[in-house]
Structures are given as structure tokens and as C-alpha cells.
Amino acid sequence: MASSLFSRTLLGHRLVQFSSSLPQKPLIFSSVLNKRQFRLQAQPTYTTYKTSGRPSRFIASSAIETRTNFSTQSLSTSDPVVSVDWLHAKLRGPDMKVLDASWYMPDEQRNPIQEYQVAHIPGALFFDVDGIADRTTKLPHMLPSEEAFAAAVSALGIQNNDGLVVYDGKGIFSAARVWWMFRVLGHDRIWVLDGGLPRWRASGYDVESSASSDAILKASAASEAIEKVYQGQTAGPVTFQTKFQPHLVWTLDQVRRNIKEKTHQHIDARSKPRFDGAAPEPRKGIRSGHVPGSKCIPFPQMLDASQTLLPADELKKRFDEEGISLERPVATSCGTVVTACVLALGLHRLGRSDVAVYDGSWTEWGERSDTPVNTLL
């Protein structure tokens, strides 16, 4: 069963621990990316990191406040990403919400909620990838039921008329997973922040820290709401309505059928050594190799050195090199259904908005004894 980052006891411990560690004097942080300085002002709830020479967002800013007439209703969904400059200009839009969907592999030893508390885009909500997930399976962060997702998202304060921008702490990684989740459940007005938090900070834009903010409380409420749904309890008022899009998500049985029928081109986003069976899987008890008939395009090939999505012409070259035709249907998979969504993001930029993602991915396929596995050894 997927465990949430927001059990009451653990959340309380983290908040107390973080609050007690806040500096009593202003600290100066040097950005490794742009060599500018950020000043941390210790306050009980909110802290602003601000770039030298740039006014804090908590100081009255006419440039931002005069943009309140902006509406995400007019923003095209044909391109799945928006730039940090675009988001900075539209951050105070009335129907705009920003989600920090950071998630990391266990061996990275990074804690997304603690990093969120230290620094996030002003006003961003925290979306718990492991917490807003199916609680009936041991597979990691699987897509929750429609009812559970609606309850969790409603607890975050998200409504159907909101435009969403989602980012993560690596550039483009787990944010793509959340982008896909919302689309599977019927919400198309969602975009990934190109380059994520690293690019935002490299551009000199302010970040905010919070030890006990409303956003943290909402994240806790979202985790509790989804738990109640899976326990058969009433989760509270629902402000977000889902509309399941089954063509965007695949099951194990569909992958099985595709091996024989070959209706879709199956692309695996894992590294080539894992795909070939030359490298062990990071999770114990899972075989190495790949689904018969699938092809390997490691997800970093979708990104440039700054972790932003490649232009369409360069993306097309990546797929052409592996013999992937944009004229035929595509399904993607990976290890735990995170980076498969990065492939879907790249294909979306190329006009393929109908890419199916295998939600169980290799963690499900590789752990079973009744699924065929190929290797290149």
C-alpha cells in the first residue's frame, strides 16, 4: 500500500522540526545556477528568498497586480509546457494554481516535502505523488480511483475551472506524471513548467518557504481525504469533477494483447542497460529486461542540458532514430510510471495527445512470473 508523506504524526514532526531550525538571523544563499544571492528572512510562517536587486513578491508589485485580468481559459493546450517567464508574468491570475509535484527515487535521498517547505514558487500547493494514489495495491503511486482523486484534489482547493501549472525539483521529471494524471481524469488545462524549480531559480525569480502554511494543511487534508474514500467514508465537499479518459491509461492485460496484436508502438523510458537486462532493477524482486516488441528511448532524450523539453524538430529526430512513426498509436512505460509520462509529454508536443501510459509499468510486469521478458544478453 502506498504510504503518504502526510500521516498526521509524521507531518507534525516535520513541521516542528523545520520551524525550530529556521535561522534567527538573515542568511545569504548563493545560487549555484546563476551565481546570484538569495536572502532568507526568518519569520514564523512565511519566508521569502529574494534575488539581490529584485523586489520581493511580498512587496507591492504593480507589474504583477495589474495582470489579474489574465485567464487561463485562453491558453492553448496544444503545447504541454509553459516557460518560467510566462508563469512569472501570470502567477497572480485569478484562475491559476501552481503545484509542486516533486518526487525522487529512493536512492536519491531527497525529501520532497522538506524541500517544499524550504523553497517553492510563491503560492504553490504541494501535490503528494505517493499520497494521491491507489491505496489498494502495493505498486507505487498508481492512479487512484476517480472518487479518491476528486476528493484529494478538492481538498487542495482545486476546481475544474482552474488552470494548473505543475513543476518539480529536477526540471522535468515527476511533474509530467501529475500532468498525465489530471489529463487521464478529464482535466486538460494543465501545463508542465519547462525546466521546473531549477530554471525558475536560475532566472532569479523569488521562492517562498513555509513552516506551517495553508498549503501544508491542504496537502495533509488531501491525504486524509483519499484515505477516507478508500475506507468507505465521506471525504468532505467535492469541488472537482472527474471524467475518466480510458484511452490514456493501459493495464497489464492491454500490454499482453499488444505483444500479439501490435496495435501500438510500445516505448520504454528506462535506461538502455535496464532495458537490455544488463543492469539490475533498483527494486528487489524484479527481473531485468523488457516487454517483447517494445523499444527503448530513455526519457533524458526528451530534454536538453537545462532539463527543458526539446523543440519539436529535435524530439521528432529522437523518435525517428528508433523507428517510431507518429502516424501510428503509441503506448509508453518505464519503471514506476513517472518517466513514461515524460515520453508522453514529448509526444504531446509533436501532436500526439492520445498516448497511452502503462500504469503498472515495469514494477508490475517485471515482478510477475507469468509475463514474458526479453533481454539482449
Side-chain angles (χ1 to χ4, degrees), residues 289-301:
H290 59 269
V291 175
S294 61
K295 296 184 178 182
C296 180
I297 302 181
F299 83 93
Q301 293 189 23

Side-chain angles (χ1 to χ4, degrees), residues 34-55:
N34 65 355
K35 300 187 184 300
R36 296 178 183 176
Q37 292 182 327
F38 296 85
R39 182 179 297 274
L40 172 61
Q41 301 287 350
Q43 293 182 17
T45 302
Y46 289 103
T47 304
T48 305
Y49 295 78
K50 56 183 181 178
T51 306
S52 300
R54 184 187 297 273

